[in-house]
Amino acid sequence: KNDAAIIATILSMSRILNFSVVAEGVEKAEQLNYLHGVGCDIIQGYFFSKPVKPERIIELAATSFLPAST
């Protein structure tokens, strides 16, 4: 409940200031779905990929950053 209030406040302030919002640390589909549903602009985290070496970025981009297998 508190997390949702914080997210709503950050998104509201960012819209007023014309900023984009990046949610970091997303690890679960439920988090991804919630953040997407409330209009978060960019979402990153282990749900998509663990940190990778720079040379793998092109390969990941070609596969549309599919979620990491668990």
Side-chain angles (χ1 to χ4, degrees):
K1 188 175 180 179
N2 288 340
D3 291 344
I6 293 168
I7 291 167
T9 301
I10 291 169
L11 288 171
S12 178
M13 288 174 40
S14 71
R15 289 182 182 124
I16 291 168
L17 298 169
N18 200 30
F19 290 163
S20 295
V21 175
V22 178
E24 298 180 348
V26 176
E27 297 181 7
K28 299 177 182 177
E30 295 83 15
Q31 295 168 320
L32 172 67
N33 292 333
Y34 177 79
L35 291 164
H36 179 72
V38 295
C40 191
D41 300 301
I42 301 169
I43 303 169
Q44 70 176 41
Y46 279 11
F47 180 80
F48 298 100
S49 176
K50 292 185 178 180
V52 297
K53 295 183 180 198
E55 53 271 9
R56 286 224 39 234
I57 296 297
I58 293 172
E59 176 188 340
L60 286 173
T63 61
S64 301
F65 287 91
L66 299 174
S69 59
T70 54

